[in-house]
mmCIF file of all heavy atoms in Angstrom:
data_model
loop_
_atom_site.group_PDB
_atom_site.id
_atom_site.type_symbol
_atom_site.label_atom_id
_atom_site.label_comp_id
_atom_site.label_asym_id
_atom_site.label_seq_id
_atom_site.Cartn_x
_atom_site.Cartn_y
_atom_site.Cartn_z
ATOM 1 N N TYR U 1 -7.674 -8.437 -1.140
ATOM 2 C CA TYR U 1 -8.492 -9.573 -1.496
ATOM 3 C C TYR U 1 -8.256 -9.914 -2.998
ATOM 4 O O TYR U 1 -8.364 -11.021 -3.405
ATOM 5 C CB TYR U 1 -9.987 -9.328 -1.197
ATOM 6 C CG TYR U 1 -10.182 -9.407 0.282
ATOM 7 C CD1 TYR U 1 -10.487 -8.349 1.004
ATOM 8 C CD2 TYR U 1 -10.175 -10.621 0.895
ATOM 9 C CE1 TYR U 1 -10.765 -8.319 2.356
ATOM 10 C CE2 TYR U 1 -10.431 -10.669 2.331
ATOM 11 C CZ TYR U 1 -10.699 -9.524 3.005
ATOM 12 O OH TYR U 1 -10.923 -9.617 4.388
ATOM 13 N N ALA U 2 -8.207 -8.858 -3.770
ATOM 14 C CA ALA U 2 -8.171 -9.101 -5.243
ATOM 15 C C ALA U 2 -7.298 -8.006 -5.846
ATOM 16 O O ALA U 2 -7.137 -6.936 -5.325
ATOM 17 C CB ALA U 2 -9.558 -9.081 -5.897
ATOM 18 N N GLY U 3 -6.599 -8.397 -7.046
ATOM 19 C CA GLY U 3 -5.867 -7.396 -7.705
ATOM 20 C C GLY U 3 -4.424 -7.221 -7.223
ATOM 21 O O GLY U 3 -3.885 -8.008 -6.299
ATOM 22 N N LYS U 4 -3.808 -6.202 -7.705
ATOM 23 C CA LYS U 4 -2.398 -5.846 -7.271
ATOM 24 C C LYS U 4 -2.433 -4.386 -6.782
ATOM 25 O O LYS U 4 -3.186 -3.594 -7.211
ATOM 26 C CB LYS U 4 -1.463 -5.926 -8.391
ATOM 27 C CG LYS U 4 -1.318 -7.302 -8.984
ATOM 28 C CD LYS U 4 -0.231 -7.359 -10.059
ATOM 29 C CE LYS U 4 0.097 -8.708 -10.734
ATOM 30 N NZ LYS U 4 -0.984 -9.106 -11.732
ATOM 31 N N MET U 5 -1.380 -4.124 -5.965
ATOM 32 C CA MET U 5 -1.181 -2.679 -5.481
ATOM 33 C C MET U 5 0.212 -2.358 -5.623
ATOM 34 O O MET U 5 1.088 -3.104 -5.174
ATOM 35 C CB MET U 5 -1.677 -2.627 -4.008
ATOM 36 C CG MET U 5 -1.760 -1.197 -3.495
ATOM 37 S SD MET U 5 -2.108 -1.151 -1.721
ATOM 38 C CE MET U 5 -3.917 -1.242 -1.713
ATOM 39 N N LYS U 6 0.562 -1.245 -6.314
ATOM 40 C CA LYS U 6 1.936 -0.938 -6.543
ATOM 41 C C LYS U 6 2.229 0.539 -5.951
ATOM 42 O O LYS U 6 1.320 1.274 -5.955
ATOM 43 C CB LYS U 6 2.291 -0.951 -8.084
ATOM 44 C CG LYS U 6 2.327 -2.391 -8.576
ATOM 45 C CD LYS U 6 3.061 -2.431 -9.971
ATOM 46 C CE LYS U 6 2.123 -1.938 -11.101
ATOM 47 N NZ LYS U 6 0.980 -2.830 -11.303
ATOM 48 N N LYS U 7 3.464 0.720 -5.631
ATOM 49 C CA LYS U 7 3.829 2.142 -5.149
ATOM 50 C C LYS U 7 3.594 3.050 -6.317
ATOM 51 O O LYS U 7 3.742 2.865 -7.443
ATOM 52 C CB LYS U 7 5.392 1.986 -4.979
ATOM 53 C CG LYS U 7 5.883 2.901 -3.890
ATOM 54 C CD LYS U 7 7.290 2.545 -3.627
ATOM 55 C CE LYS U 7 8.126 3.724 -3.213
ATOM 56 N NZ LYS U 7 9.460 3.379 -2.749
ATOM 57 N N GLY U 8 2.946 4.188 -5.913
ATOM 58 C CA GLY U 8 2.550 5.236 -6.950
ATOM 59 C C GLY U 8 1.168 5.100 -7.529
ATOM 60 O O GLY U 8 0.809 5.973 -8.226
ATOM 61 N N ASP U 9 0.532 3.996 -7.219
ATOM 62 C CA ASP U 9 -0.817 3.764 -7.750
ATOM 63 C C ASP U 9 -1.865 4.720 -7.110
ATOM 64 O O ASP U 9 -1.686 5.159 -6.001
ATOM 65 C CB ASP U 9 -1.387 2.395 -7.357
ATOM 66 C CG ASP U 9 -0.892 1.322 -8.342
ATOM 67 O OD1 ASP U 9 -0.107 1.726 -9.274
ATOM 68 O OD2 ASP U 9 -1.129 0.182 -8.194
ATOM 69 N N THR U 10 -2.800 5.196 -7.940
ATOM 70 C CA THR U 10 -3.890 5.910 -7.335
ATOM 71 C C THR U 10 -5.076 4.939 -7.067
ATOM 72 O O THR U 10 -5.478 4.246 -7.918
ATOM 73 C CB THR U 10 -4.367 7.052 -8.293
ATOM 74 O OG1 THR U 10 -3.278 7.929 -8.478
ATOM 75 C CG2 THR U 10 -5.535 7.917 -7.708
ATOM 76 N N ILE U 11 -5.557 5.022 -5.781
ATOM 77 C CA ILE U 11 -6.648 4.106 -5.436
ATOM 78 C C ILE U 11 -7.907 4.934 -4.971
ATOM 79 O O ILE U 11 -7.714 6.011 -4.568
ATOM 80 C CB ILE U 11 -6.280 3.057 -4.384
ATOM 81 C CG1 ILE U 11 -5.674 3.794 -3.208
ATOM 82 C CG2 ILE U 11 -5.326 2.032 -5.026
ATOM 83 C CD1 ILE U 11 -5.649 2.845 -1.933
ATOM 84 N N LEU U 12 -9.022 4.241 -4.954
ATOM 85 C CA LEU U 12 -10.278 4.940 -4.464
ATOM 86 C C LEU U 12 -10.683 4.431 -3.110
ATOM 87 O O LEU U 12 -10.716 3.197 -2.984
ATOM 88 C CB LEU U 12 -11.376 4.707 -5.576
ATOM 89 C CG LEU U 12 -12.769 5.305 -5.133
ATOM 90 C CD1 LEU U 12 -12.827 6.786 -5.198
ATOM 91 C CD2 LEU U 12 -13.865 4.723 -6.008
ATOM 92 N N ASN U 13 -11.011 5.327 -2.267
ATOM 93 C CA ASN U 13 -11.634 4.880 -0.981
ATOM 94 C C ASN U 13 -13.111 4.963 -1.111
ATOM 95 O O ASN U 13 -13.710 6.068 -1.185
ATOM 96 C CB ASN U 13 -11.196 5.800 0.155
ATOM 97 C CG ASN U 13 -11.803 5.456 1.454
ATOM 98 O OD1 ASN U 13 -12.725 4.761 1.559
ATOM 99 N ND2 ASN U 13 -11.231 6.084 2.558
ATOM 100 N N SER U 14 -13.862 3.832 -1.233
ATOM 101 C CA SER U 14 -15.282 3.855 -1.600
ATOM 102 C C SER U 14 -16.087 4.433 -0.490
ATOM 103 O O SER U 14 -17.312 4.800 -0.730
ATOM 104 C CB SER U 14 -15.745 2.529 -2.048
ATOM 105 O OG SER U 14 -15.760 1.653 -0.872
ATOM 106 N N ALA U 15 -15.550 4.511 0.720
ATOM 107 C CA ALA U 15 -16.379 5.061 1.883
ATOM 108 C C ALA U 15 -16.451 6.552 1.794
ATOM 109 O O ALA U 15 -17.418 7.169 2.103
ATOM 110 C CB ALA U 15 -15.783 4.577 3.166
ATOM 111 N N THR U 16 -15.348 7.195 1.320
ATOM 112 C CA THR U 16 -15.339 8.670 1.269
ATOM 113 C C THR U 16 -15.462 9.194 -0.139
ATOM 114 O O THR U 16 -15.762 10.393 -0.346
ATOM 115 C CB THR U 16 -13.972 9.201 1.830
ATOM 116 O OG1 THR U 16 -12.929 8.621 1.019
ATOM 117 C CG2 THR U 16 -13.759 8.828 3.261
ATOM 118 N N GLY U 17 -15.261 8.270 -1.183
ATOM 119 C CA GLY U 17 -15.348 8.775 -2.537
ATOM 120 C C GLY U 17 -14.146 9.519 -2.972
ATOM 121 O O GLY U 17 -14.077 10.121 -4.062
ATOM 122 N N LYS U 18 -13.078 9.563 -2.159
ATOM 123 C CA LYS U 18 -11.862 10.306 -2.446
ATOM 124 C C LYS U 18 -10.746 9.287 -2.959
ATOM 125 O O LYS U 18 -10.718 8.137 -2.532
ATOM 126 C CB LYS U 18 -11.305 11.004 -1.221
ATOM 127 C CG LYS U 18 -12.260 12.129 -0.689
ATOM 128 C CD LYS U 18 -11.466 13.050 0.264
ATOM 129 C CE LYS U 18 -12.271 14.331 0.585
ATOM 130 N NZ LYS U 18 -13.167 14.086 1.722
ATOM 131 N N THR U 19 -9.884 9.826 -3.802
ATOM 132 C CA THR U 19 -8.816 8.945 -4.231
ATOM 133 C C THR U 19 -7.583 9.223 -3.380
ATOM 134 O O THR U 19 -7.347 10.392 -2.885
ATOM 135 C CB THR U 19 -8.452 9.163 -5.673
ATOM 136 O OG1 THR U 19 -8.239 10.589 -5.930
ATOM 137 C CG2 THR U 19 -9.580 8.668 -6.563
ATOM 138 N N GLU U 20 -6.619 8.311 -3.282
ATOM 139 C CA GLU U 20 -5.410 8.492 -2.562
ATOM 140 C C GLU U 20 -4.299 7.881 -3.368
ATOM 141 O O GLU U 20 -4.523 6.919 -4.078
ATOM 142 C CB GLU U 20 -5.378 7.850 -1.274
ATOM 143 C CG GLU U 20 -6.405 8.506 -0.261
ATOM 144 C CD GLU U 20 -5.943 8.623 1.135
ATOM 145 O OE1 GLU U 20 -4.744 8.525 1.404
ATOM 146 O OE2 GLU U 20 -6.786 8.785 2.069
ATOM 147 N N ARG U 21 -3.045 8.360 -3.165
ATOM 148 C CA ARG U 21 -1.923 7.883 -3.940
ATOM 149 C C ARG U 21 -1.144 7.018 -2.995
ATOM 150 O O ARG U 21 -0.955 7.388 -1.822
ATOM 151 C CB ARG U 21 -1.053 8.962 -4.491
ATOM 152 C CG ARG U 21 -0.090 8.534 -5.382
ATOM 153 C CD ARG U 21 0.556 9.699 -6.246
ATOM 154 N NE ARG U 21 1.732 9.321 -6.970
ATOM 155 C CZ ARG U 21 2.952 9.188 -6.409
ATOM 156 N NH1 ARG U 21 3.019 9.414 -5.117
ATOM 157 N NH2 ARG U 21 4.021 8.784 -7.081
ATOM 158 N N ILE U 22 -0.801 5.854 -3.340
ATOM 159 C CA ILE U 22 0.024 4.915 -2.527
ATOM 160 C C ILE U 22 1.517 5.380 -2.529
ATOM 161 O O ILE U 22 2.201 5.421 -3.538
ATOM 162 C CB ILE U 22 -0.023 3.386 -3.102
ATOM 163 C CG1 ILE U 22 -1.481 2.938 -3.191
ATOM 164 C CG2 ILE U 22 0.870 2.549 -2.235
ATOM 165 C CD1 ILE U 22 -2.150 2.612 -1.864
ATOM 166 N N GLY U 23 1.919 5.730 -1.344
ATOM 167 C CA GLY U 23 3.365 6.245 -1.234
ATOM 168 C C GLY U 23 4.181 5.043 -0.839
ATOM 169 O O GLY U 23 4.332 4.108 -1.641
ATOM 170 N N ARG U 24 4.654 5.008 0.390
ATOM 171 C CA ARG U 24 5.519 3.828 0.857
ATOM 172 C C ARG U 24 4.701 2.647 1.231
ATOM 173 O O ARG U 24 3.693 2.802 2.032
ATOM 174 C CB ARG U 24 6.399 4.287 1.943
ATOM 175 C CG ARG U 24 7.466 5.248 1.535
ATOM 176 C CD ARG U 24 8.190 5.872 2.750
ATOM 177 N NE ARG U 24 8.699 4.818 3.627
ATOM 178 C CZ ARG U 24 8.764 5.009 4.935
ATOM 179 N NH1 ARG U 24 8.376 6.139 5.472
ATOM 180 N NH2 ARG U 24 9.214 4.072 5.736
ATOM 181 N N MET U 25 5.025 1.437 0.790
ATOM 182 C CA MET U 25 4.333 0.269 1.248
ATOM 183 C C MET U 25 5.417 -0.608 2.029
ATOM 184 O O MET U 25 6.537 -0.672 1.602
ATOM 185 C CB MET U 25 3.936 -0.608 -0.020
ATOM 186 C CG MET U 25 2.773 0.051 -0.664
ATOM 187 S SD MET U 25 2.561 -0.645 -2.408
ATOM 188 C CE MET U 25 2.296 -2.312 -2.026
ATOM 189 N N VAL U 26 4.975 -1.185 3.116
ATOM 190 C CA VAL U 26 5.872 -1.986 3.880
ATOM 191 C C VAL U 26 5.312 -3.305 4.376
ATOM 192 O O VAL U 26 4.074 -3.434 4.493
ATOM 193 C CB VAL U 26 6.315 -1.289 5.123
ATOM 194 C CG1 VAL U 26 7.211 0.029 4.873
ATOM 195 C CG2 VAL U 26 5.084 -0.788 6.014
ATOM 196 N N GLU U 27 6.127 -4.295 4.440
ATOM 197 C CA GLU U 27 5.729 -5.558 4.992
ATOM 198 C C GLU U 27 6.201 -5.556 6.460
ATOM 199 O O GLU U 27 7.295 -5.160 6.784
ATOM 200 C CB GLU U 27 6.600 -6.628 4.334
ATOM 201 C CG GLU U 27 6.308 -8.075 4.671
ATOM 202 C CD GLU U 27 7.355 -9.011 3.939
ATOM 203 O OE1 GLU U 27 7.119 -9.246 2.731
ATOM 204 O OE2 GLU U 27 8.331 -9.287 4.604
ATOM 205 N N MET U 28 5.263 -5.905 7.353
ATOM 206 C CA MET U 28 5.457 -5.727 8.787
ATOM 207 C C MET U 28 6.118 -6.874 9.440
ATOM 208 O O MET U 28 5.807 -8.027 9.128
ATOM 209 C CB MET U 28 4.139 -5.408 9.510
ATOM 210 C CG MET U 28 3.490 -4.129 9.062
ATOM 211 S SD MET U 28 4.527 -2.728 9.311
ATOM 212 C CE MET U 28 4.633 -2.714 11.055
ATOM 213 N N HIS U 29 7.054 -6.607 10.400
ATOM 214 C CA HIS U 29 7.507 -7.660 11.294
ATOM 215 C C HIS U 29 7.329 -7.027 12.728
ATOM 216 O O HIS U 29 8.287 -6.326 13.148
ATOM 217 C CB HIS U 29 8.879 -8.083 10.982
ATOM 218 C CG HIS U 29 9.420 -9.090 11.988
ATOM 219 N ND1 HIS U 29 8.693 -10.189 12.331
ATOM 220 C CD2 HIS U 29 10.499 -9.109 12.864
ATOM 221 C CE1 HIS U 29 9.347 -10.941 13.261
ATOM 222 N NE2 HIS U 29 10.532 -10.219 13.593
ATOM 223 N N ALA U 30 6.200 -7.137 13.334
ATOM 224 C CA ALA U 30 5.918 -6.421 14.597
ATOM 225 C C ALA U 30 6.141 -4.941 14.400
ATOM 226 O O ALA U 30 5.461 -4.347 13.620
ATOM 227 C CB ALA U 30 6.670 -7.027 15.688
ATOM 228 N N ASN U 31 7.154 -4.337 15.041
ATOM 229 C CA ASN U 31 7.273 -2.897 14.835
ATOM 230 C C ASN U 31 8.488 -2.665 13.899
ATOM 231 O O ASN U 31 8.953 -1.443 13.769
ATOM 232 C CB ASN U 31 7.370 -2.102 16.074
ATOM 233 C CG ASN U 31 8.576 -2.539 16.920
ATOM 234 O OD1 ASN U 31 9.063 -3.681 16.718
ATOM 235 N ND2 ASN U 31 8.998 -1.737 17.917
ATOM 236 N N ASP U 32 9.019 -3.589 13.213
ATOM 237 C CA ASP U 32 10.033 -3.373 12.208
ATOM 238 C C ASP U 32 9.388 -3.563 10.864
ATOM 239 O O ASP U 32 8.278 -4.062 10.722
ATOM 240 C CB ASP U 32 11.175 -4.416 12.243
ATOM 241 C CG ASP U 32 12.036 -4.224 13.510
ATOM 242 O OD1 ASP U 32 11.996 -3.091 14.041
ATOM 243 O OD2 ASP U 32 12.645 -5.202 14.070
ATOM 244 N N ARG U 33 9.998 -2.999 9.802
ATOM 245 C CA ARG U 33 9.348 -3.095 8.500
ATOM 246 C C ARG U 33 10.365 -3.227 7.392
ATOM 247 O O ARG U 33 11.476 -2.810 7.441
ATOM 248 C CB ARG U 33 8.473 -1.855 8.312
ATOM 249 C CG ARG U 33 9.294 -0.616 8.152
ATOM 250 C CD ARG U 33 8.935 0.524 8.916
ATOM 251 N NE ARG U 33 8.201 0.339 10.100
ATOM 252 C CZ ARG U 33 7.108 1.022 10.458
ATOM 253 N NH1 ARG U 33 6.697 1.942 9.718
ATOM 254 N NH2 ARG U 33 6.456 0.777 11.518
ATOM 255 N N ASN U 34 9.905 -3.901 6.282
ATOM 256 C CA ASN U 34 10.680 -3.946 5.081
ATOM 257 C C ASN U 34 9.894 -3.189 4.034
ATOM 258 O O ASN U 34 8.766 -3.479 3.780
ATOM 259 C CB ASN U 34 10.864 -5.420 4.602
ATOM 260 C CG ASN U 34 11.463 -6.322 5.716
ATOM 261 O OD1 ASN U 34 12.307 -5.775 6.462
ATOM 262 N ND2 ASN U 34 10.991 -7.512 5.882
ATOM 263 N N GLU U 35 10.579 -2.393 3.282
ATOM 264 C CA GLU U 35 9.968 -1.651 2.207
ATOM 265 C C GLU U 35 9.672 -2.560 1.008
ATOM 266 O O GLU U 35 10.535 -3.457 0.720
ATOM 267 C CB GLU U 35 10.982 -0.522 1.690
ATOM 268 C CG GLU U 35 11.267 0.562 2.696
ATOM 269 C CD GLU U 35 10.250 1.732 2.501
ATOM 270 O OE1 GLU U 35 9.700 1.897 1.399
ATOM 271 O OE2 GLU U 35 10.180 2.585 3.380
ATOM 272 N N ILE U 36 8.558 -2.439 0.453
ATOM 273 C CA ILE U 36 8.277 -3.264 -0.760
ATOM 274 C C ILE U 36 7.660 -2.355 -1.884
ATOM 275 O O ILE U 36 7.145 -1.264 -1.492
ATOM 276 C CB ILE U 36 7.226 -4.463 -0.412
ATOM 277 C CG1 ILE U 36 5.994 -3.927 0.283
ATOM 278 C CG2 ILE U 36 7.824 -5.522 0.371
ATOM 279 C CD1 ILE U 36 4.892 -4.967 0.477
ATOM 280 N N ASP U 37 7.711 -2.800 -3.099
ATOM 281 C CA ASP U 37 7.193 -2.011 -4.221
ATOM 282 C C ASP U 37 5.849 -2.364 -4.720
ATOM 283 O O ASP U 37 5.112 -1.577 -5.302
ATOM 284 C CB ASP U 37 8.193 -2.058 -5.428
ATOM 285 C CG ASP U 37 9.576 -1.344 -5.066
ATOM 286 O OD1 ASP U 37 9.481 -0.466 -4.254
ATOM 287 O OD2 ASP U 37 10.610 -1.812 -5.607
ATOM 288 N N SER U 38 5.453 -3.643 -4.439
ATOM 289 C CA SER U 38 4.209 -4.065 -4.930
ATOM 290 C C SER U 38 3.699 -5.260 -4.040
ATOM 291 O O SER U 38 4.464 -5.908 -3.291
ATOM 292 C CB SER U 38 4.247 -4.527 -6.382
ATOM 293 O OG SER U 38 5.028 -5.741 -6.425
ATOM 294 N N ALA U 39 2.359 -5.345 -4.066
ATOM 295 C CA ALA U 39 1.736 -6.484 -3.193
ATOM 296 C C ALA U 39 0.569 -6.935 -4.083
ATOM 297 O O ALA U 39 0.090 -6.256 -5.009
ATOM 298 C CB ALA U 39 1.328 -5.924 -1.922
ATOM 299 N N GLN U 40 0.016 -8.183 -3.752
ATOM 300 C CA GLN U 40 -1.029 -8.671 -4.501
ATOM 301 C C GLN U 40 -2.062 -9.403 -3.637
ATOM 302 O O GLN U 40 -1.901 -9.516 -2.463
ATOM 303 C CB GLN U 40 -0.557 -9.612 -5.632
ATOM 304 C CG GLN U 40 0.209 -10.820 -4.855
ATOM 305 C CD GLN U 40 0.295 -11.963 -5.768
ATOM 306 O OE1 GLN U 40 0.383 -11.928 -6.947
ATOM 307 N NE2 GLN U 40 0.527 -13.192 -5.129
#
């Protein structure tokens, strides 16, 4: 909804209070995918 997300970023899951690192990000086409480095 807001901001940017890049491969390797550390993000917070506000429901669990734990952080996670973004590994691979993909753009979906049904069950195929294209690797991407950032999204916004």
Side-chain angles (χ1 to χ4, degrees):
Y1 287 108
K4 296 189 179 74
M5 193 186 269
K6 289 195 282 298
K7 210 166 149 176
D9 279 359
T10 298
I11 56 163
L12 174 72
N13 176 350
S14 68
T16 60
K18 296 194 169 87
T19 54
E20 297 219 17
R21 192 165 168 280
I22 301 285
R24 290 169 52 212
M25 289 162 60
V26 291
E27 181 185 278
M28 296 302 295
H29 175 52
N31 60 341
D32 291 336
R33 65 226 27 222
N34 304 324
E35 294 265 344
I36 51 175
D37 292 331
S38 67
Q40 61 159 21

